[in-house]
Amino acid sequence: MSRPAPHTMPALSPAALLSAYPQPAAVFATDGTLVAENAGFGQLRLRLADQDWQPWLAERSDYWVLPDGSYLRRQWLDGQHQLISLVDDARHPAALAMAPVFEALRDGQSLFQAAVSALRHSLGWRWLGVSRFLPGKASDCDRAEILVLWDTDHFAAGFEYELPGMPCAVVMEKRHFCRFDDVVELFPRDQMARQIGARVYAGKVYSDDAGKPLGHLFALHDQTVPVDDRIETLFNVMTALLSAEWRALGAETELKTARAAARTDALTGLWNRRAFDEDIAALAQHQRRRHDLDAMLMLIDLDGMKQVNDSVGHQEGDRLLQQFGQLLATGCRRDDKAYRFGGDEFAVLLSNAVSPAVLQTRLNYGVQKLRDAGFPRIGASTGIAALSEASGDRTQWFALADARLYQMKQLHRQTG
């Protein structure tokens, strides 16, 4: 079974995490600076006088009692941050569960692992996990994959399984918190529950923005557990976090796609001028810290591009640009990057120096390939410069390569 690579950094910000918290809550730095808060805590701050609760914030005590008898509870997340939440009862399960979530995230766990860790810390059940539902041929969803599984004292490998006849199938259908005692008798097809000796099951789905179930959070135990409304509260909090995580991951993917599109030339697939400006600045800064390495810049203009457009049309001109872009990309080493500025202007950045003669030989080979592909009069002018020639200054580096490009173009015009 192929498994997705686990992500070790949470996609959610503290503000997004707090948005799923069911009570007023905020994260503060140790100096009292507000890092993030949910809407409920913002409203609470408007009702509280700063002179009353700010001195408590600077202290180390765990609780501050409000006039109505409710509490502000402090939980230390690490040496720099503290979670402050409002609770009617200092033993409220949501307040107790959130600190383990933050602690697990700080330790490098994914939010899926952190939710399981927090549930384990609060419940003490032996088996806990997060699944995602997989589409199948017979229905919209007939299989599931375990993404995270806690087995007694360690995170175990996940697996896929059929949904029909399993307790999570009922949870998916009901779309609310479900608990089943005597789970083996109720679900005889659940061979895993039978093999491990599970007696009680609890679970709830997490969903996308449209309410479609994406997967479920579940827990199993081999001992009888008293019915307790706080268990459902815990599942409500954790599944809200998981739903928010999926939304954040989706937004993060869309953002990465948009950023990549903004840095890519649509015609050739090479990086564009915006990407070049960002990369040359980063490369120059990096190379200044590495005195043992040099970098190269090659600027390229295709000679004869206008004649191609005028004689056989812009469609053939586009084909020429696409083929040249492909030749540049395939000729690059892993750390090299090729760019199209627009029109017939291209560039290549090389983080490890190569002699200009080698670069020119490679380019001549590519130009010959273009001629063999039906563009017999095409040529190329180049300007090549090493970063060391410009004393590490990227503006002078580009200007030097551009001047050499101009000189070669003038030479080609005179001899051509």
Side-chain angles (χ1 to χ4, degrees):
M1 178 190 70
S2 62
R3 290 177 51 75
H7 63 285
T8 58
M9 294 300 294
L12 290 176
S13 65
L17 284 166
L18 291 171
S19 69
Y21 195 65
Q23 296 175 292
V27 173
F28 286 85
T30 52
D31 62 0
T33 303
L34 178 65
V35 176
E37 66 180 354
N38 60 18
F41 199 89
Q43 296 171 1
L44 176 66
R45 285 197 299 114
L46 294 177
R47 301 200 308 268
L48 297 176
D50 286 347
Q51 63 269 24
D52 292 335
W53 76 286
Q54 285 287 350
W56 169 78
L57 188 63
E59 298 173 356
R60 308 289 292 188
S61 57
D62 292 336
Y63 303 106
W64 184 59
V65 182
L66 276 64
D68 62 1
S70 58
Y71 294 85
L72 279 182
R73 174 185 173 90
R74 182 202 318 268
Q75 293 169 280
W76 293 99
L77 304 177
D78 52 37
Q80 290 77 41
H81 298 92
Q82 50 188 319
L83 173 68
I84 306 298
S85 58
L86 177 70
V87 289
D88 297 326
D89 182 341
R91 296 169 298 170
H92 192 285
L96 296 173
M98 284 303 289
V101 170
F102 279 94
E103 290 169 2
L105 292 174
R106 187 192 68 221
D107 291 340
Q109 294 185 17
S110 71
L111 186 62
F112 304 108
Q113 293 172 319
V116 168
S117 295
L119 206 61
R120 175 176 58 87
H121 177 86
S122 301
L123 296 182
W125 292 20
R126 286 191 61 181
W127 303 282
L128 309 100
V130 178
S131 77
R132 67 166 177 165
F133 300 137
L134 303 173
K137 297 179 180 179
S139 64
D140 290 340
C141 181
D142 59 7
R143 291 182 62 80
E145 177 188 15
I146 302 295
L147 297 176
V148 177
L149 177 63
W150 180 264
D151 182 359
T152 308
D153 59 2
H154 65 284
F155 282 110
F159 54 90
E160 290 186 13
Y161 62 94
E162 301 288 340
L163 277 175
M166 306 292 279
C168 51
V170 178
V171 173
M172 183 176 65
E173 180 182 353
K174 298 295 185 182
R175 302 193 183 188
H176 58 66
F177 174 77
C178 294
R179 169 182 169 143
F180 304 112
D181 295 320
D182 300 321
V183 62
V184 173
E185 286 72 20
L186 289 172
F187 300 93
R189 291 190 59 180
D190 192 342
Q191 294 301 316
M192 186 188 78
R194 183 178 300 278
Q195 291 172 4
I196 64 179
R199 300 185 65 177
V200 59
Y201 165 96
K204 185 180 179 181
V205 299
Y206 60 96
S207 308
D208 62 13
D209 288 336
K212 177 184 177 181
L214 297 170
H216 86 306
L217 176 68
F218 64 91
L220 295 142
H221 201 42
D222 57 356
Q223 299 178 25
T224 302
V225 180
V227 175
D228 189 337
D229 291 341
R230 292 180 298 177
I231 297 176
E232 180 176 352
T233 300
L234 287 170
F235 273 84
N236 289 341
V237 172
M238 295 303 128
T239 52
L241 289 176
L242 295 178
S243 295
E245 171 77 342
W246 274 107
R247 290 194 296 272
L249 288 173
E252 188 177 70
T253 299
E254 291 178 4
L255 180 61
K256 288 180 178 178
T257 301
R259 285 175 174 170
R263 288 167 48 89
T264 304
D265 176 62
L267 179 64
T268 63
L270 299 179
W271 300 106
N272 62 16
R273 180 59 186 262
R274 176 180 177 179
F276 174 83
D277 289 339
E278 294 173 357
D279 292 345
I280 192 174
L283 180 58
Q285 183 178 10
H286 174 74
Q287 299 299 99
R288 279 197 296 269
R289 298 193 298 265
R290 295 289 306 273
H291 302 293
D292 58 324
L293 293 177
D294 201 358
M296 301 294 293
L297 167 62
M298 179 168 64
L299 300 180
I300 308 165
D301 278 5
L302 285 180
D303 299 331
M305 182 72 195
K306 185 177 184 302
Q307 289 84 344
V308 172
N309 286 332
D310 291 345
S311 60
V312 293
H314 287 275
Q315 185 172 356
E316 280 295 283
D318 287 348
R319 184 171 74 88
L320 167 62
L321 293 172
Q322 289 170 336
Q323 291 198 7
F324 184 65
Q326 185 177 7
L327 287 168
L328 277 185
T330 55
C332 285
R333 301 167 302 179
R334 184 177 63 179
D335 295 331
D336 301 341
K337 296 184 74 172
Y339 308 81
R340 179 184 176 225
F341 291 168
D344 58 2
E345 299 177 353
F346 294 82
V348 178
L349 274 174
L350 305 98
S351 57
N352 293 316
V354 177
S355 74
V358 170
L359 291 178
Q360 190 65 55
T361 299
R362 290 179 184 174
L363 182 64
N364 293 342
Y365 174 78
V367 169
Q368 186 58 52
K369 296 278 286 187
L370 292 177
R371 292 170 177 168
D372 295 341
F375 304 101
R377 298 181 62 82
I378 203 68
S381 298
T382 61
I384 302 172
L387 181 59
S388 59
E389 293 181 277
S391 302
D393 184 283
R394 66 183 174 92
T395 302
Q396 294 182 23
W397 188 22
F398 184 89
L400 180 59
D402 192 45
R404 290 173 178 171
L405 171 66
Y406 179 77
Q407 291 172 359
M408 182 173 285
K409 287 185 72 69
Q410 289 296 100
L411 178 62
H412 285 176
R413 290 192 184 103
Q414 295 169 7
T415 58

